[in-house]
């Protein structure tokens, strides 16, 4: 093992650890992925009939799926918040700190594990969407774009989630600190167009992270053009959230 | 050879609460050294600083010749840590916990054999496939210790390794510590059990209020308290007074109807019995008191332990 490959080996070891922990606690993953599926069904079948009236005839399921996908990311990263807080409450993290291992590897393991749950969640939600009548027009390049954006956005939010998990004093508070993150998608263009919102809320809704991400996903899935400013804003938010989350997480880890 | 641990003038405060005042410590390589003190004396803080988990406010610290603050990884490569609360992954089996340690020590192919060796040595073979959450307190502590040994550390920190264990499990753990010491591992043990320090350590430092108040071999410390005594108890105060007059060295305590005669061993007892018999006195109770570390602690700090 050379000095150069040790960090990679440590990140790999910690990622396998996290994957095994996720497998050992499957009910959490089921809950995390199940919630956005419930929201998808709720919006399409319960609220969709009325909401689609304001869309000028286009199918509501086509409109709402990209929004639910963005929401899925926010909802699934509640998992890392809880699992990081839980991990920190156990003695094994203290042990890791006394070992000569690549420091960020513990957190990187949580991020990779969380990211895998995000991808799983998105795949499940997409599957259910198609089953209930979602018909994407995306070509191979569009699908690659969807996957890429899900991964980049997922990684950014997962780093933020890891930082939030580190900031929580206990597992109990950890399950609450993520709440703003689950509510944010509703204040955007995911479920209804922002045009219908009152002034200042509308400005907020148009520029907050979930809206450009949703709009980019919507464009890619429906093979419609995505304005450069929209996908740039989406990627910009990913960089800001990801880097900010990473720095906050590292600080939180060093502090504890 | 440089000492395994060398600490000079170590200070640590949390906010305005000073935990370590000015700590000096020197542990030679291969020694079993006990840091003895009551709860809140600063034992765990000391271990956490030595084990690179906490930065000191002042003072110089060398562990295996390295400064934990500026060369943490060099220190981490030399140490193994077993804490008060077993640092195991509850969702993992015993074998998986050990394999995780093997992977983090980059043992590669030799890791599997080392895992099996440690499972056998710590009597965990039968439980190897069960999640650690199902382990008993003693098994968790053994697994924890085995995990700390994966990297073959030169220096092992055992922070209250037997707190909360039943006497039998405690003795089994003591045997393991003795085996490690026989292998040449330096052991720094913190404990609030005086018997534990007495049993395991060649040197003991007594920590109180953030300072070392005494240090030496268990025998040296016991000698500081003075010798033992024969304790007698009588049925009435007159007998106590008469015993005091026939035994000139005795200290009488009429309130408890007892008499303490300095002296140790069979000879002292026989002498006391002879004198009493000649005087026609009968004690209702006789006991021989040999000083232990509890007396040391009481004498040095004016506090009673446990």
């Amino acid at each position: 093992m050379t000095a150069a490959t040790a960090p990679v080996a440590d990140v790999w070891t910690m990622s396998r650890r996290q994957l095994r922990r996720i497998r050992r606690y499957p009910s959490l993953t089921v809950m995390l992925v199940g919630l956005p599926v419930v929201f998808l069904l709720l919006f399409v079948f319960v609220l969709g009939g009325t909401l689609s009236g304001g869309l000028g005839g286009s199918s509501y399921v086509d409109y709402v799926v990209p929004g639910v996908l963005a929401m899925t990311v926010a909802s699934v990263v509640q998992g890392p918040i809880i699992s990081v807080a839980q991990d920190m409450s156990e003695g094994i993290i203290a042990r890791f700190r006394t070992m000569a291992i690549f420091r960020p590897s513990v957190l990187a393991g949580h991020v990779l594990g969380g990211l895998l749950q995000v991808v799983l969640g998105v795949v499940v939600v997409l599957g259910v969407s198609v089953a209930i009548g979602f018909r994407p027009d995306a070509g191979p390049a569009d699908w690659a774009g969807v996957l890429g954006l899900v991964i980049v956005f997922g990684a950014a939010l997962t780093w933020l989630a890891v930082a939030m998990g580190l900031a929580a004093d206990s597992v109990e508070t950890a399950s609450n600190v993520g709440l703003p993150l689950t509510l944010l998608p509703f204040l955007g263009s995911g479920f209804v167009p922002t045009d219908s919102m009152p002034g200042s809320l509308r400005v907020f809704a148009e520029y907050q992270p979930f809206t450009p991400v949703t709009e980019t996903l919507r464009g890619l899935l429906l093979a419609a053009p995505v304005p450069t400013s929209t996908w740039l804003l989406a990627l910009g938010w990913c960089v800001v959230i990801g880097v900010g989350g990473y720095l906050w997480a590292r600080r939180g880890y060093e502090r504890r | 050879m440089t000492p395994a641990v060398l600490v000079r003038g170590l200070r640590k405060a949390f906010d305005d609460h000073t935990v370590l005042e000015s700590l000096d410590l020197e542990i030679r390589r291969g020694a079993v050294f006990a840091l003895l003190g009551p709860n809140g004396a600063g034992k765990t803080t000391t271990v956490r600083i030595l084990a690179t988990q906490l930065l000191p406010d002042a003072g110089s610290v060398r562990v295996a010749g390295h400064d934990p603050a500026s060369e943490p990884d060099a220190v981490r490569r030399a140490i193994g840590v077993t804490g008060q609360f077993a640092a195991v992954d509850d969702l993992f089996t015993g074998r998986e916990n050990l394999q995780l340690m093997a992977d983090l020590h980059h043992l590669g192919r030799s890791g599997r054999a080392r895992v099996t060796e440690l499972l056998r040595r710590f009597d965990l073979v039968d439980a190897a496939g069960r999640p650690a959450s199902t382990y008993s307190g003693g098994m968790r502590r053994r697994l924890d210790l085995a995990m700390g040994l994966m990297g073959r550390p030169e220096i092992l920190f055992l922070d209250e390794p037997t707190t909360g264990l039943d006497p039998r499990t405690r003795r089994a753990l003591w045997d393991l510590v003795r085996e490690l010491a026989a292998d040449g591992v330096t052991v720094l043990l913190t404990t609030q059990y005086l018997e534990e320090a007495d049993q395991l350590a060649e040197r003991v430092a007594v920590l109180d209020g953030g300072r070392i108040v005494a240090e030496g071999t268990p025998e040296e410390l016991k000698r500081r308290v003075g010798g033992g005594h024969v304790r007698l108890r009588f049925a009435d105060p007159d007998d106590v007074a008469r015993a005091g007059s026939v035994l000139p060295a005795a200290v009488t305590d009429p309130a408890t109807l007892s008499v303490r005669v300095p002296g140790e061993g069979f000879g002292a007892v026989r002498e006391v019995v002879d004198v009493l018999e000649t005087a026609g006195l009968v004690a209702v109770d006789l006991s021989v008191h040999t000083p232990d570390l509890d007396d040391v602690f009481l004498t040095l700090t004016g506090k009673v332990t446990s």
Side-chain angles (χ1 to χ4, degrees):
Chain A
M1 185 62 52
T2 65
T5 58
V8 179
D10 289 346
V11 168
W12 173 233
T13 300
M14 290 300 185
S15 301
R16 278 184 311 158
R17 163 175 187 261
Q18 195 48 34
L19 293 185
R20 187 175 271 158
R21 286 173 63 84
I22 289 169
R23 277 209 314 274
R24 294 280 153 87
Y25 191 16
S27 57
L28 180 64
T29 306
V30 169
M31 200 193 74
L32 293 173
V33 175
L35 192 72
V37 171
V38 169
F39 269 92
L40 174 72
L41 300 176
L42 182 75
F43 270 89
V44 171
F45 293 114
V46 180
L47 307 170
T50 303
L51 291 176
S52 62
L55 287 175
S58 63
S59 141
Y60 186 67
V61 69
D62 286 347
Y63 182 84
V64 84
V65 165
V68 174
L69 289 181
M71 191 213 123
T72 303
V73 179
S75 154
V76 172
V77 299
Q78 304 299 310
I81 300 181
I82 294 167
S83 71
V84 166
Q86 194 180 23
D87 215 4
M88 293 302 136
S89 72
E90 282 172 25
I92 191 133
I93 295 295
R95 176 187 291 290
F96 291 149
R97 282 171 209 273
T98 66
M99 294 173 69
I101 55 181
F102 180 56
R103 284 232 123 189
S105 62
V106 180
L107 304 181
H110 276 283
V111 170
L112 285 174
L115 195 51
L116 201 86
Q117 286 174 310
V118 164
V119 172
L120 180 75
V122 165
V123 167
V124 168
V125 168
L126 267 173
V128 175
S129 305
V130 171
I132 62 169
F134 177 57
R135 293 291 171 261
D137 307 311
D142 299 320
W143 279 115
V146 169
L147 184 68
L149 183 56
V150 163
I151 288 175
V152 172
F153 189 51
L157 282 192
T158 310
W159 271 114
L160 180 67
V162 166
M164 287 170 132
L166 285 164
D169 327 318
S170 68
V171 181
E172 287 73 33
T173 46
S175 45
N176 298 329
V177 291
L179 200 63
L181 210 53
T182 32
L183 290 177
L184 207 51
F186 295 99
L187 305 177
S189 70
F191 302 90
V192 290
T194 51
D195 319 343
S196 60
M197 298 177 189
S200 53
L201 176 62
R202 179 173 157 185
V203 174
F204 174 81
E206 276 170 7
Y207 292 99
Q208 66 110 329
F210 284 91
T211 299
V213 168
T214 304
E215 289 303 319
T216 306
L217 287 175
R218 188 171 282 145
L220 290 168
L221 287 168
L222 303 178
V226 181
T228 309
S229 63
T230 302
W231 65 260
L232 269 182
L233 186 60
L235 288 182
W237 269 122
C238 290
V239 171
V240 168
I241 295 169
V243 172
Y246 172 77
L247 293 176
W248 186 19
R250 283 216 60 174
R251 229 187 73 193
Y253 187 65
E254 295 302 327
R255 187 175 52 83
R256 288 169 74 113
Chain B
M1 202 157 63
T2 55
V5 174
L6 185 64
V7 174
R8 290 283 173 262
L10 177 62
R11 229 190 84 79
K12 179 71 190 177
F14 294 105
D15 298 322
D16 55 353
H17 173 59
T18 304
V19 179
L20 298 175
E21 193 76 49
S22 174
L23 191 82
D24 296 324
L25 213 55
E26 184 170 341
I27 304 175
R28 77 165 183 88
R29 296 211 182 219
V32 177
F33 190 101
L35 199 55
L36 179 67
N39 277 331
K43 301 187 300 287
T44 298
T45 304
T46 306
V47 169
R48 292 189 60 194
I49 291 170
L50 297 178
T52 76
Q53 287 172 286
L54 209 60
L55 290 173
D57 294 340
S60 86
V61 179
R62 291 288 178 280
V63 177
H66 303 283
D67 180 357
S70 61
E71 310 164 272
D73 274 353
V75 172
R76 287 172 191 147
R77 268 188 281 275
I79 63 170
V81 185
T82 288
Q84 199 173 145
F85 307 101
V88 305
D89 194 321
D90 275 333
L91 293 178
F92 278 30
T93 66
R95 185 183 291 281
E96 288 166 347
N97 266 297
L98 284 167
Q99 187 61 49
L100 177 67
M101 292 299 119
D103 292 343
L104 291 173
H105 282 291
H106 310 132
L107 296 187
R109 285 166 184 278
S110 65
R112 280 182 97 87
R114 178 87 175 129
V115 168
T116 308
E117 176 198 329
L118 284 167
L119 284 170
R120 201 169 297 144
R121 179 167 180 187
F122 286 81
D123 195 20
L124 291 167
V125 175
D126 293 338
R130 278 182 14 218
S133 55
T134 66
Y135 282 21
S136 70
M139 288 162 76
R140 289 171 68 85
R141 220 59 80 94
R142 291 207 303 274
L143 175 59
D144 193 44
L145 188 53
M147 286 166 77
L149 291 174
M150 181 58 75
R152 299 181 194 277
E154 312 162 31
I155 305 168
L156 189 65
F157 296 125
L158 299 175
D159 189 15
E160 304 205 10
T162 65
T163 298
L165 294 186
D166 61 75
R168 218 186 76 203
T169 316
R170 173 173 302 163
R171 271 164 206 288
L173 218 111
W174 286 353
D175 287 339
L176 286 170
V177 173
R178 289 193 190 102
E179 278 174 38
L180 292 169
D183 292 348
V185 178
T186 308
V187 178
L188 170 60
L189 167 92
T190 78
T191 182
Q192 40 180 330
Y193 301 117
L194 305 153
E195 189 195 358
E196 188 160 284
D198 202 2
Q199 284 278 335
L200 296 175
E202 63 167 62
R203 286 188 80 76
V204 179
V206 181
L207 186 63
D208 185 54
R211 288 173 180 281
I212 302 290
V213 292
E215 198 200 311
T217 64
E219 283 66 38
E220 280 168 1
L221 291 180
K222 284 186 214 168
R223 225 172 291 139
R224 287 182 60 163
V225 192
H229 60 262
V230 178
R231 191 181 155 97
L232 303 162
R233 218 155 48 75
F234 293 94
D236 64 79
D238 291 345
D239 286 355
V240 173
R242 279 183 60 207
S245 62
V246 296
L247 294 162
V251 181
T252 58
D253 182 3
T256 58
L257 297 178
S258 68
V259 175
R260 288 170 58 156
V261 189
E264 263 177 283
F266 181 69
V269 176
R270 189 166 59 187
E271 203 185 310
V272 168
V273 173
D274 283 350
V275 170
L276 291 181
E277 210 163 71
T278 312
L281 280 164
V282 177
V284 292
D285 190 37
L286 180 149
S287 60
V288 181
H289 190 85
T290 320
D292 59 16
L293 285 169
D294 277 308
D295 298 303
V296 175
F297 204 83
L298 187 62
T299 309
L300 292 171
T301 68
K303 289 177 204 154
V304 181
T305 60
S306 51

